[in-house]
Every structure is written in structure tokens, then in C-alpha cells.
Amino acid sequence: MDLSGKTALVTGGSKGMGLGIAKRFCEQGANVVICSNDSPSLAAAETEIDSGEQLVSVLADVSRAGDMAQLTETVVSRFGGLDVLVNCAGVQRYGTVVDTPEETWDEVLNINLKGVFLAAKYAIPEIEKRGGGSVINIASVQAYASQSNVAAYTATKGAIVAMTRAMALDHAQAKIRVNAICPAAIDTPMLQKAAELWKGEHTAQATIEAWGQGHPVGRVGTIEEVAAVANFLASDLCPFMTGSDVKVDGGVLSKLGIILPE
């Protein structure tokens, strides 16, 4: 799973799964550029990863074409090229299609879906110049089985899985592999925020533990477990793997959610 000699760009790399992936990539020898639209989290990420010149952080908005074009230029000028793109930037908002405000719908699609499009638009030509590489899109199990009250979020995650297939076909001849990771509940700041919102009379930690019991393995996943899968997909160990969606879900999609009569 060694990534020495590779350069990776991780959008949303200052928090949660993106931060865990960036940290893992640095540990495996890659040069890594992370981006976020939140300056304090970028500074905190640099301190946590502490990889010196191996890590570069850039303030950028994935929903803006100019930012993504400039971000890719920064990667290439700093490290000489680009081998791996991880699209991890994302937000979750709550609501049905009836009560979700239009501006909230646009926000979620612009970050979660348009952000993947724009990052890939500028990164893929640079990956092609290197003779190929890997694009990893972070989707969700909600691409397949939705919770209630998350219409916009679920719509983007389903679209990311479909777009992953399209990208895999379009860029296979350039030796660019495109795969998606579909996590279930992972212990991230996003999950902790959701637990605070929906904890009711319980603590946030108790709420997360209860959500974990909904997975056959009996717990939520860890950032490190997702990062390990991203490491595999970014490495040279899977050259025949493209257009795939890898479920890192503790078995939750294998579980029938209703009780059938005997």
C-alpha cells in the first residue's frame, strides 16, 4: 500500500474522513494537498498531520471553478504533477423535498456533487499526463438505502455513484481508475454533529452507540477504516479495479430492516 512518489489531492481534507485519508497517505509516503473553505480547520489539520513539506493546505471552495482550477495548478507547481484525487468535501442538511429550501438544495448539490465534477474536471488532465492514476469519490450507503429527511444529501450520494461509473468508462483508456467508497455511519465530526442534533434526552455519545447497534458488527466505523480502503484504491495493488463502489458499512446494507413472519 506504499504511496511513495505519488502526489494526492484530497478535497475536504481538513476534517473527518478527508483528514484521515490525508494523514494515511502522508504516512504511506505520498505528497498530499488538502483543501477546505475553512481556514481554522486547515491550520488544525497541518498541526495534526505534521508532515512538513510533504503536506500543503489550500483555502478553496469546491463549488467554484476558479478555485478548483487554481488548486490543481498549485498541486502541479508544488509537486510536479498529480496521481490521485480524493473527492471528500461534503455537507449534510436535513429535509424532505417539500420542506428543504431551494437555497439549501443548491448548497448541498453544489458542494457534494458539483464539487466532485469541478475537482475532477481540472485534476484528471493532470493525472493523465502522469500516465494514469486513481480518482476516489466518497459517496455513502445512502446512495442505496436512504434515511428519511435527507432528500438532498441522498440525491447527491446516488449521483456520485452513477458519475463514478461514467468517469470510469470515459477515462479507462487513459489508465485512470475511478472508484467510489460508500461508508455507513463513521465516527466523524459530521456524525457527532448529527448526534447532538438528534440525541433527545440522551447524550450524543449514547446516540452514536445506539446508531452503531443498527450495524451488524454492532458499532459505527472509524475514520481509519475508511482511510485504509482509500489507501488501497490509491495504490498500485488494484490495476483492474475501476467503476466500483466499495461499501464500508459494517454489514448494514446486508441487513433486512423489517421483521418477516415465521
Side-chain angles (χ1 to χ4, degrees):
M1 302 252 275
D2 179 55
L3 300 178
S4 297
K6 296 186 185 295
T7 296
L9 169 59
V10 183
T11 71
S14 66
K15 295 179 183 177
M17 287 181 278
L19 175 60
I21 291 168
K23 185 175 183 179
R24 172 92 182 206
F25 283 11
C26 284
E27 291 170 350
Q28 292 297 323
N31 295 315
V32 180
V33 177
I34 61 173
C35 81
S36 171
N37 63 354
D38 175 42
S39 294
S41 70
L42 287 171
E46 288 187 350
T47 299
E48 179 170 341
I49 295 176
D50 191 24
S51 293
E53 294 184 357
Q54 193 179 346
L55 178 75
V56 173
S57 67
V58 178
L59 186 67
D61 184 340
V62 296
S63 69
R64 295 180 179 273
D67 282 17
M68 291 299 96
Q70 182 59 54
L71 176 64
T72 303
E73 290 178 10
T74 298
V75 175
V76 173
S77 65
R78 182 62 183 268
F79 294 116
L82 178 61
D83 304 283
V84 179
L85 168 66
V86 182
N87 285 303
C88 198
V91 295
Q92 181 165 357
R93 302 290 183 259
Y94 296 94
T96 68
V97 293
V98 174
D99 56 34
T100 296
E102 183 179 358
E103 58 269 23
T104 300
W105 175 270
D106 289 343
E107 176 199 18
V108 176
L109 266 70
N110 282 339
I111 296 172
N112 293 10
L113 187 57
K114 185 180 178 182
V116 174
F117 158 67
L118 288 175
K121 180 180 182 66
Y122 296 103
I124 284 176
E126 295 300 331
I127 297 174
E128 185 171 357
K129 291 176 184 177
R130 300 276 267 197
S134 176
V135 176
I136 303 164
N137 298 324
I138 305 300
S140 168
V141 293
Q142 294 203 54
Y144 301 95
S146 182
Q147 295 175 309
S148 58
N149 208 42
V150 285
Y153 180 82
T154 295
T156 62
K157 296 305 181 178
I160 288 170
V161 170
M163 185 162 62
T164 295
R165 292 193 296 267
M167 291 166 65
L169 292 175
D170 290 340
H171 305 289
Q173 293 302 309
K175 298 182 180 180
I176 297 173
R177 298 177 293 105
V178 187
N179 296 287
I181 297 176
C182 297
I186 306 296
D187 193 1
T188 62
M190 182 184 288
L191 188 75
Q192 293 160 11
K193 182 178 180 180
E196 285 288 346
L197 183 63
W198 301 107
K199 66 183 181 180
E201 297 179 354
H202 305 285
T203 65
Q205 184 57 39
T207 301
I208 290 174
E209 291 173 1
W211 289 345
Q213 291 303 311
H215 301 67
V217 300
R219 63 174 176 84
V220 300
T222 68
I223 289 169
E224 291 76 16
E225 288 167 329
V226 175
V229 176
N231 187 175
F232 172 69
L233 293 174
S235 76
D236 296 329
L237 295 176
C238 49
F240 200 57
M241 188 172 179
T242 194
S244 297
D245 46 284
V246 183
K247 299 172 182 67
V248 185
D249 70 349
V252 74
L253 287 179
S254 301
K255 179 181 178 182
L256 190 61
I258 59 174
I259 300 175
L260 298 176
E262 296 182 359

